[in-house]
Structure formats: C-alpha cells, structure tokens
Amino acid sequence: MRVLSEEQLGAVLAGVPAPVPRVVVSGNFATPARALAVVDAALAEYRLFALNAQDGLPDRPGVVLETPFVGPGMRGRAGLRYFPSRLSLVPQLLKQALPPDVVLVHTSVPVDGVVSLGTEVNILPAAIEAARARGGLVIAQVNPHMPFVHGDGVLPLDEIDFALEVEEPLRSPVPRPLDGTAREIGERVAGLVADGATLQLGIGGIPDATLAALTGRRGLAVWSEMFSDGVLALDRAGALDPAEPVTASFVFGSAELYEWVDRNPRVRLLRTEKTNDPAVIARQRRLVSVNSALEIDLYAQANASRVRGAIHSGFGGQTDFVVGALHSPGGRAVIALPSWHPKADVSTVVPRLAGPVTSFQHSFFVSEQGVAAIWGHDAGDQARQIVDRVAHPDARAELRERGRELGFALR
C-alpha cells in the first residue's frame, strides 16, 4: 500500500485504461467522500456502483449510477441502472456481469500490517477479488476514525494499491424518534421472539422499535445483514448471549456504536456470501427475520422494492433471510408494516400487488392493528387474517369485496 496525495492519486486514476471504468465504492454510511471526490475529478466518465448509497454522490453528466439496492443518494436519479439481485448473489454479479476496474474502500489505519474495512464489509471483499483478477486498482481512504472490526474485512496491506490519508468523523444516520405506530408494531413483533432466538432486522423505525421492545429477553443472538444502535442497547440490557458473536455484514449508527464495535471481540463483520447465504442462515438457532414492506396483498405477497412502478430500493437481503428463517428450526419470517401509508394516504394492504413481488411465503404479517399467522394456514384463511388483523379498518370493506372477486371466501 502506497500513500499518495490527492494530486498524485488523481494522476494515477487519470491513467486507468478502461474508456468508461466501473468504480465500486463502499455504500451505506461508509462511503469515502474525499477519495470519491478525487475519482470524480480525475475521470470524465465512469460507472459508479454502490449499495444503499447516501446523499452526496457525484451528480453530473458522465457519471452512470449502478446498484442492486437503491439508497437516498441514487433514488430518482436520471439514468440509474438498477440490477435486480438478491444481496447474497451480488458478489457473483460483480465477478461475472459487472467486473470493477477500481474499488474504493474506507479503512482503519494500519495495525500490524493489516487494515480493517471497518463498518462496511458487505460485497467489498468480492469486489476487491474481482478487480484483482482483471488487473484493477484497489484504493483506500485511511481514516483514524474508522473502527477496526474483526472478521472478513481485515485486509493485508498488499491487497491495497494506493491510500489517501484522511481524518474526518464517520457519517451517521439522522436520529428519528419512534412514533406511536412504530412502537405498537415493535411490541407486537417482539411478542413473536422468545428467549434464545437469533435476530435479523432490517433498516428503519419498525426494526428499531422491535429491538427496543426486546431488552427484557435473555440469551438472544444476532445473525443479520446489518445492525444499528438497537443491538448495543440489547447488549447493555443483558439481553444478548455473551457466548454468541454479534454477526453481520455492515453496521451504521451513532459514534457511540462505532466506538463499541472497535476491536470488540464479540463483533464480527463477514462477507455477504456468508451472512446472507440462506443455507447458513437456516443453521442459526430459531432465527427470527424481521423486515418491512411498502405493501402486501391478500395472496400474502410483499413488495418492498417499488413505488407506483418506479424502483425505490430493491431486494436487499429480505429474500435471503425470509427463505433462511423458514428453514431454521423454530425460525420465523416476519413482515411488519403500518396498515396505512400516512404520506400517500392509502392502505398498505392491497387486494393484489400491481408490480413485482419482493418476497412471499412468510410466517407472520404484523401491523399496529394485529398479527396475521400466514405459514401453515390455507390461502383463504391467510387472506381473512390479513384483512381482519393487519389491514386498517377503513380499508377492510373494500378489501373484502375485491378479495371475493379474486376468489377468496371473505365475509
């Protein structure tokens, strides 16, 4: 690993031979902003690949955004290339269809000849391998504020070609207070989680509310795509099994959370191919997968990807964990969502999804109205429970009428 100035790094990047190189960059809240700015200044045209990118990405002609999971920094952008893919398969996507020319990562400072990818492991090891296989570049923004996290993100220095030294605080999501609906849903979901369960929770207010409602449990484990501050609260409440490592692929949250994961032997961040492999998920004890959706229908299908036909996010790890949880002994796949969308002023329960399905065959649907048990019930009973226990009261009459037209015996 050779440390360069911004000017020297720009000169190296200007010599990248590909006419329109593909740059893979850390996503979520680990994006190395200064190094990315150098890339943007050096390359007139390039393709930028990131997962759940936050605000602040380059926005100009010549930059083509690519992703299998759309974050705020890409949502609604003209020319966005969305690649539908389960998160567990994104490493294969990078090795086969979308090989990178440059991989840009955000790391800790070197310690004993290695650095850590810190808060974002995810698909980056696969991206580095794919770039190496075709003679591409691996560039690190080395930051003393990036925690050193154990697991698959620990890289020997010779895996990195060039480094830019930058000292700046890590970004964190804006704290959002939980509203009454999220708290009610979180309490209901928590009622489905027993002592000794293994948890996977997605991103958002409902997963956060669920974690807040689980502090009284004991012997919990975490095997997840990601985690945030709610897991730290579980640890402090004594809810986690100290013998089980907290396992995920990336993490984002407060500065306090980043300090907690730094050199913590109980935390490990692994490659996406491991954390999101449904077969590996199925081996976890009583895995309860908790994810949200934009809407669900009477066929017990969930849409977590599109709004009015336009891509909003993507599959993410939801499909991986729904399948894995159903195969875990004692596991449960839960979809939790409010019964009414306050901004759009519409029911989140619809007779039939109008667009693509993100996931199907779940254990439970949960809203602030109640809990519908899905797995093990016939299709008619599933539809009845969804209407009677999950849908908003203002939507139930129309759902019953439309449901009867679809062939469901709804009273």
Side-chain angles (χ1 to χ4, degrees):
M1 182 179 80
R2 180 183 169 197
V3 178
L4 302 180
S5 67
E6 292 188 17
E7 292 75 15
Q8 290 171 323
L9 180 58
V12 169
L13 289 163
V16 172
V20 185
R22 174 172 290 110
V23 179
V24 174
V25 65
S26 309
N28 292 290
F29 288 87
T31 301
R34 290 271 292 280
L36 182 55
V38 174
V39 169
D40 190 58
L43 300 176
E45 294 182 279
Y46 63 101
R47 294 165 289 188
L48 183 61
F49 183 105
L51 292 178
N52 196 31
Q54 303 302 302
D55 295 332
L57 290 188
D59 185 7
R60 63 170 177 82
V63 180
V64 176
L65 301 178
E66 299 179 331
T67 190
F69 193 86
V70 182
M74 292 188 179
R75 192 167 295 135
R77 295 271 287 271
L80 172 66
R81 301 184 73 203
Y82 166 63
F83 293 85
S85 176
R86 297 170 182 253
L87 191 57
S88 60
L89 294 176
V90 173
Q92 290 303 314
L93 192 66
L94 292 171
K95 291 182 177 181
Q96 297 170 3
L98 305 175
D101 300 288
V102 178
V103 179
L104 201 60
V105 295
H106 199 167
T107 76
S108 70
V109 297
V111 177
D112 296 329
V114 298
V115 294
S116 168
L117 291 173
T119 59
E120 177 92 359
V121 174
N122 215 333
I123 52 87
L124 295 173
I128 291 170
E129 291 166 1
R132 283 270 175 240
R134 66 195 319 246
L137 294 176
V138 179
I139 300 169
Q141 177 174 302
V142 176
N143 186 355
H145 291 276
M146 178 62 79
F148 190 103
V149 186
H150 299 290
D152 292 340
V154 177
L155 301 178
L157 295 183
D158 59 11
E159 287 292 311
I160 298 169
D161 296 299
F162 302 106
L164 182 68
E165 294 181 332
V166 177
E167 182 172 356
E168 60 185 19
L170 300 184
R171 294 182 64 187
S172 295
V174 176
R176 296 178 180 174
L178 299 176
D179 60 25
T181 298
R183 291 186 184 280
E184 177 66 23
I185 297 171
E187 289 284 352
R188 292 185 184 279
V189 174
L192 302 173
V193 180
D195 287 348
T198 301
L199 303 175
Q200 178 266 323
L201 294 104
I203 300 170
I206 291 173
D208 289 346
T210 300
L211 290 170
L214 287 172
T215 54
R217 298 291 191 278
R218 291 295 178 265
L220 299 176
V222 175
W223 183 283
S224 187
E225 175 185 323
M226 60 79 62
F227 68 87
S228 192
D229 287 80
V231 168
L232 174 55
L234 288 182
D235 184 63
R236 289 177 171 169
L240 298 182
D241 182 346
E244 291 291 333
V246 174
T247 302
S249 188
F250 66 95
V251 57
F252 61 70
S254 66
E256 187 177 21
L257 180 71
Y258 298 152
E259 183 179 355
W260 181 68
V261 301
D262 185 34
R263 303 182 182 279
N264 188 337
R266 292 184 53 226
V267 176
R268 59 178 185 173
L269 296 186
L270 304 183
R271 305 166 64 116
T272 295
E273 305 94 311
K274 296 179 183 178
T275 59
N276 284 57
D277 183 339
V280 177
I281 295 167
R283 293 201 291 268
Q284 309 310 309
R285 67 187 193 198
R286 285 171 284 175
L287 191 134
V288 181
S289 169
V290 182
N291 290 283
S292 193
L294 298 165
E295 58 183 1
I296 59 174
D297 69 9
L298 300 184
Y299 293 98
Q301 303 174 125
N303 162 31
S305 300
R306 291 181 178 266
V307 176
R308 294 184 292 276
I311 186 63
H312 180 78
S313 54
F315 298 164
Q318 182 164 310
T319 53
D320 296 323
F321 275 94
V322 166
V323 172
L326 288 172
H327 286 274
S328 166
R332 294 174 163 183
V334 180
I335 297 294
L337 76 172
S339 65
W340 198 265
H341 195 296
K343 291 183 179 179
D345 196 29
V346 295
S347 170
T348 60
V349 182
V350 298
R352 181 168 59 187
L353 296 181
V357 175
T358 304
S359 60
F360 61 93
Q361 198 165 64
H362 311 91
S363 303
F364 298 94
F365 284 156
V366 181
S367 78
E368 79 282 6
Q369 306 296 329
V371 177
I374 304 300
W375 172 249
H377 295 261
D378 67 57
D381 191 31
Q382 290 178 2
R384 283 189 290 273
Q385 289 196 54
I386 290 168
V387 173
D388 295 342
R389 301 181 184 179
V390 178
H392 193 279
D394 291 349
R396 290 175 184 169
E398 181 180 356
L399 286 169
R400 292 189 182 100
E401 180 179 352
R402 293 286 307 281
R404 287 191 289 268
E405 294 173 0
L406 293 172
F408 295 109
L410 300 177
R411 297 181 297 276

